[in-house]
Amino acid sequence: MTDQEPLILAFCCESSAYAAADAAGSMRLEYPDNVRVLRMPCTGKVEIDYILTAFERGVDGVIVAGCPEGDCHFQEGNLRARRRVERAKQLLDEIGLDPDRLEIFNLSSSDGARFAEIAGEMSQRLTKLGPSPLRLDDPTEEQNTEQMARHGDAVPVGEKR
Amino acid sequence: MTLPNGETPANAMGKNSQEPCGAVLVCGAGVAGIHASSDLSAAGFRVYLVEEGSGIHGDTAQLEKTSPARESIACTMFPKLVECVRDPNIDVFTMSDVIALEKTPGNLKATVRQRPCSTDGGNCAACGEQREDVFDLEIGAVLVTKEGQASFPFPAESTQSSGQQTEKSPGPVFLVHESEDVADTITQASAAAARAMTLLAGARGSLVRTRAYPPERDITDEPPRVGIFVCGCGTDIASVVDLAALVERVRQLPNVVIAKTDVYACAGDGQDRIVEAVAEHRLNRVVIAGCSPHTHESIFRDTLRCAGLNPHLLEMANIRDQCARVHADRPKQATEKAIDLVRMAIGRAAHLASLPEQTVPVKRMALVIGGGIAGMTAALSLADQGFPVRLVEKTSRLGGPTPQIDGDDGETVLAETIKRVQSHLRIRVYLEAVVSKVDGRIGHFTTSITRGSEIHEVKHGVVVVAIGTAGQQSESSGRGQDETVQTQRADREKLARLLRVPLNAEGFFVLAAPELRPVDSVREGVLLCDVPDAAKSIVQASAVAARAASVLSHKEIPVGGMTASVDPQKCISCMTCVHVCPFMAPRVGEHNKSEVQSEVCMGCGTCSAECPAKAITLQNYVDDQILGAIDSLLARDVEKKEFVLTYPEQVGIAPPRWHASQHE
């Protein structure tokens, strides 16, 4: 991945999309290399906060991928996720980020081909949209301090802004 | 294999009514021997695994890849080998053979000769210092695999000659049928194990030893000390991802103490190195960069327990399926991506916490769906082992199509099986009934069986699926078949949805690992007899019984510890969690605050995401862990901040418990 290419974070449901990514692996399917998968127990656990945090930190796009509708491993988590994604899109629109940077997908656990397709589709869409205006090529000290604080590292007294 | 003359130990043992011995001798530590041993051990029997060669693995480990998934054999087999060696109920005797086998009252006595391991044939001076070790083992049954025949020069009884239910007095020396197909061999091994289990059912659990782990270290006060173990997966990952560069980069990240590579982290010595590193560097979080947590998380969790850490202090970065295999043509990008994935894993790992081990009691009952020959065989085998069985059949009679079995009269076999099922005290048959709802998970399912207008609720530990294979039989495409095929296909689709086990493109249920776990579906606790061939499906049914017994013979099963919990200080009693939970786990507790019943909670996290007061956390997926992963991904190239701790004595501050000076 070069700096010009988009960086995509994918919240993947453990029982479907994550398994589909594994299936894509065992099928040796080629897909764009800019998707970073984060394992979730169910898309029903993906909070709007997580999506917005990801954008705030500078990802160019976010994928939420869960079970097919009506087939959620936890019955209706994916429907809740859809509602939250729609709400998050509204919020993105309000702050001037293109809502197309965020998308929810549904696929089954054995569908490796679909996973590869989704990665390709989003990658293409985000290449067109260009880098996120929130993306920092050089993380500022402010962000460093915030990150260190989250890691429990000592923040030097007096240097905190 | 033909049955030998009447003087064999197998036949002489036949109808002895003495108390059997709960130990089984398995000859040959190839793939069949290892799977049979692990099934037997899980089902509560002691296993003595005798192997003529110097190591356990057999020929299968020499194959590079399995078909059709092209999984690396070593990679899927190593965890099994490690499990086998670590298992306190499996005693492995390598360089050994059985030199005598005699009958004792009710049991067998095998005399095993173990040759010294370090003798170099050419240079041996015959000084006599290294002597052969000869010892006796009391056993209840023997399983002989193809690789074990050299070490077991006695006649054995075939397990395949006919439908097993027709044999009135099973002898205790069974031969495992092996073919060139790995999946078939493993199925046969499990089927042979099921026979031994049935025979020795009364002695189950009489000789088992429990696994001893070192005491768990309390890491509450320790700052994160993350160790990263990068697995090359043989050449699978190493040939694409630049592991040296990966290690060099991630070593610089916050909280990382060490980063190393290994050829196979899941192999026995690889795991030992992890345990050593945890002790040497006082690690309190472990990140494995390698393959999928779906296949290897449980084994690495076990490694952490061996190292005295809570099993939940593990995080895996899947750089094989998400990098090496899908970006094989772009090694540079694959390496970049691998670094990012490990970075995320470290960000999450720093916030992992120890979780108490929670268990739930196992419901000692099996549910069998499908009353054909396979379903009935599985039901009988389990019932003979002492487990109650509920059998659900959609039509008004048991049996299904007449099986075509080589050398046997299919109709007689079928009629006898039906008779035994109907008269068996532990089997209850529901005819003209369908399964309408399946809840719960391995060890404690709750299923609704609908018969007409009645609904029966059954609590059980495993589900066996043995329904017709939609039109996969090539020979049965005659007249009137089309409609049957259509209904069967619809039934399969409906059941797939209920059980949450998807169907693959050919209409078969998706297996956990096509080669090495041929009867386990992707959902733990759901077992499959899913082949069109009748003779094969009978063998599969026995194998399923062995796998089911390995779940049902446990009193308790761990639930993983990943459940939601409510902070009553933050709870505003809005009842949102009670409304949104699909499993009705939260309820109103003391002082009108919500509380989550951990035995009902499935760990989906819906309540924690919906809670307006952020009072609910889902253990192992807390906000800090998820946001930590996102932070680490984006805050690239943040220099590692050196966190040097010094405790000058003159200041008079006692160093904390985790400090190195406390452990010298």
Side-chain angles (χ1 to χ4, degrees), chain B residues 85-101:
Chain B
V85 173
R86 278 187 188 168
D87 195 320
N89 292 311
I90 302 179
D91 293 323
V92 182
F93 302 108
T94 51
M95 305 284 286
S96 300
D97 52 1
V98 181
I99 50 172
L101 185 71

Side-chain angles (χ1 to χ4, degrees), chain A:
Chain A
M1 208 194 73
T2 65
D3 283 345
Q4 280 73 47
E5 273 185 59
L7 179 71
I8 305 168
L9 181 68
F11 292 98
C12 285
C13 155
E14 193 173 29
S15 40
S16 63
Y18 195 93
D22 283 358
S26 41
M27 288 151 86
R28 311 298 198 274
L29 298 173
E30 286 276 330
Y31 57 83
D33 54 75
N34 44 24
V35 178
R36 306 286 181 267
V37 172
L38 187 56
R39 184 160 69 127
M40 301 298 278
C42 171
T43 46
K45 173 65 189 150
V46 181
E47 298 175 23
I48 295 181
D49 188 27
Y50 301 162
I51 300 172
L52 296 184
T53 306
F55 279 113
E56 189 188 319
R57 297 283 187 274
V59 290
D60 301 302
V62 170
I63 295 172
V64 177
C67 307
E69 292 193 2
D71 247 0
C72 175
H73 191 76
F74 298 110
Q75 296 183 10
E76 51 180 22
N78 52 1
L79 302 177
R80 292 183 187 281
R82 178 167 292 278
R83 282 210 297 277
R84 290 191 206 128
V85 165
E86 277 160 15
R87 176 73 187 125
K89 277 174 175 251
Q90 284 173 7
L91 294 171
L92 290 182
D93 202 22
E94 273 174 39
I95 61 163
L97 268 181
D98 197 321
D100 280 351
R101 291 184 184 275
L102 168 65
E103 204 56 79
I104 182 163
F105 296 93
N106 303 98
L107 72 169
S108 85
S109 60
S110 52
D111 209 346
R114 178 74 187 127
F115 185 85
E117 214 175 277
I118 290 169
E121 200 180 311
M122 276 306 271
S123 167
Q124 218 173 14
R125 186 194 287 187
L126 287 158
T127 312
K128 263 185 215 154
L129 288 173
S132 161
L134 294 174
R135 181 156 163 196
L136 303 160
D137 287 333
D138 181 27
T140 62
E141 198 166 321
E142 188 181 353
Q143 195 171 349
N144 285 358
T145 315
E146 197 175 333
Q147 194 224 7
M148 284 190 309
R150 202 186 286 285
H151 280 292
D153 288 1
V155 177
V157 182
E159 283 180 29
K160 196 172 177 183
R161 287 185 284 186

